[in-house]
Amino acid sequence: MKTDQLVGFIGNNEVGMPPMKYLTEWRMHLAGDLLTDTKLPISSIAERIGYGSEAALTKAFKQFYQLPPGEVRRQSRVQRAG
């Protein structure tokens, strides 16, 4: 069995989903936490969680949450203030 096949096999069995899907979900949850709990720029968050650019993070984030990262941050601030 090749290494990439083994990683896929282990990933599917350990967490119940393909490794890339698990990685994407983990990144999105981490991005959400960083957006709501820090004042880091979105570009810095993208870099911290392994995206090559703010645009790449924004695209993935919108697909996952149906909202752009900036809107999630704004909603979080409104909830804290209110």
Side-chain angles (χ1 to χ4, degrees):
M1 187 177 284
K2 293 182 180 178
T3 302
D4 59 340
Q5 291 172 323
L6 180 60
V7 168
F9 175 77
I10 291 170
N12 281 325
N13 287 309
E14 294 295 316
V15 297
M17 66 180 76
M20 283 307 295
K21 181 175 169 92
Y22 175 78
L23 177 62
T24 299
E25 286 192 16
W26 178 79
R27 284 176 165 173
M28 293 300 101
H29 291 292
L30 183 56
D33 289 346
L34 290 169
L35 285 165
T36 59
D37 297 340
T38 73
K39 293 182 179 181
L40 289 170
I42 295 171
S43 58
S44 295
I45 293 172
E47 185 178 324
R48 279 189 179 205
I49 64 171
Y51 282 92
S53 68
E54 181 177 339
L57 170 60
T58 297
K59 181 178 178 181
F61 198 90
K62 284 172 72 174
Q63 284 181 322
F64 192 79
Y65 286 111
Q66 286 77 51
L67 289 171
E71 181 61 25
V72 169
R73 177 167 272 168
R74 278 188 290 281
Q75 288 179 6
S76 171
R77 288 180 181 162
V78 168
Q79 287 177 350
R80 286 183 184 177

